[in-house]
Amino acid sequence: MIEDIKKDAQERMGKAVDALGNNFNKIRTGRAHPSILDGVTVNYYGADTPLSQVANISVLDARTLSVSPWEKQMTPEIEKAIMKSSLGLNPVTTGDLMRIPMPPLTEETRKGYIKQARGEAENARVSIRNIRRDALGDVKDLLKEKEISEDDDRRAQDDIQKITDKFVAQVDTALATKEKDLMEI
């Protein structure tokens, strides 16, 4: 039973770290990467559809993305969706190909993105701590039910804390990497 609790906590903490990685991908670093446009949705025949499902997104060079819609009549709609997004990008349309230059990051925007990244990392840490709290609560319930001994309870608490420390360290490493990427010119 204790192993199940630890395994469940480990899986959930892993998902929290994965979610952090996805959130970090949405914070742009000045380099072109297709995942920057992951949050953009386009009105496609009355339904909000992710951009990646109505167009091909690729990297032309280090600072330019290209978007080529699968249906030519979607070009203005995609252009509007990109401009409305909070990414601060302005697409340049030539025929049916859209080029999206990445504006250079100023010191001020870099600091803003670092602040945003730190906020995302803190949210991930809070999520991991909540999972730890739930797991420890499950172990305490087993102790109350007299299904485990106090020694087992203590060992389980130590193991859960070690798992928590491991995942918090992963979050800290991911944050340090993202900060380094953001400060690169």
Side-chain angles (χ1 to χ4, degrees):
M1 289 180 283
I2 293 173
E3 288 304 314
D4 292 341
I5 293 170
K6 289 193 292 192
K7 189 188 294 182
D8 179 56
Q10 203 161 6
E11 285 175 12
R12 290 172 55 203
M13 288 179 189
K15 288 178 184 175
V17 172
D18 292 345
L20 175 68
N22 290 336
N23 291 340
F24 276 176
N25 283 342
K26 293 175 186 161
I27 300 173
R28 64 187 187 90
T29 57
R31 284 193 301 275
H33 195 275
S35 66
I36 291 170
L37 298 175
D38 280 354
V40 178
T41 56
V42 179
N43 184 3
Y44 184 65
Y45 295 108
D48 283 342
T49 310
L51 178 60
S52 60
Q53 293 181 13
V54 295
N56 185 27
I57 304 167
S58 59
V59 178
L60 286 180
D61 60 53
R63 303 192 57 77
T64 312
L65 284 174
S66 82
V67 177
S68 53
W70 293 325
E71 296 179 28
K72 194 172 178 112
Q73 75 267 20
M74 289 300 298
T75 303
E77 200 67 43
I78 292 171
E79 196 171 8
K80 261 188 262 173
I82 292 171
M83 290 172 96
K84 273 193 221 171
S85 72
S86 61
L87 298 171
L89 301 174
N90 292 315
V92 178
T93 307
T94 51
D96 59 348
L97 180 71
M98 216 176 291
R99 287 184 174 80
I100 305 170
M102 296 287 132
L105 297 177
T106 63
E107 189 67 25
E108 190 176 307
T109 56
R110 287 176 197 277
K111 287 181 179 172
Y113 286 142
I114 286 175
K115 193 174 185 179
Q116 184 181 353
R118 287 180 179 157
E120 295 291 350
E122 185 55 34
N123 289 342
R125 284 189 208 101
V126 167
S127 176
I128 289 169
R129 287 187 212 113
N130 287 341
I131 294 165
R132 175 188 62 190
R133 184 195 61 219
D134 294 345
L136 290 176
D138 292 344
V139 170
K140 286 257 185 277
D141 290 344
L142 289 177
L143 181 64
K144 282 181 188 171
E145 306 279 326
K146 302 251 189 268
E147 293 181 30
I148 60 171
S149 68
E150 286 185 20
D151 289 344
D152 291 339
D153 173 53
R154 189 76 206 136
R155 250 182 261 119
Q157 286 183 24
D158 291 344
D159 290 348
I160 291 169
Q161 185 59 48
K162 285 177 187 164
I163 293 168
T164 302
D165 293 342
K166 181 180 88 172
F167 281 100
V168 168
Q170 286 180 13
V171 168
D172 293 341
T173 303
L175 176 62
T177 303
K178 188 64 176 182
E179 284 182 350
K180 184 176 166 245
D181 282 353
L182 284 168
M183 288 314 290
E184 264 179 25
I185 296 177

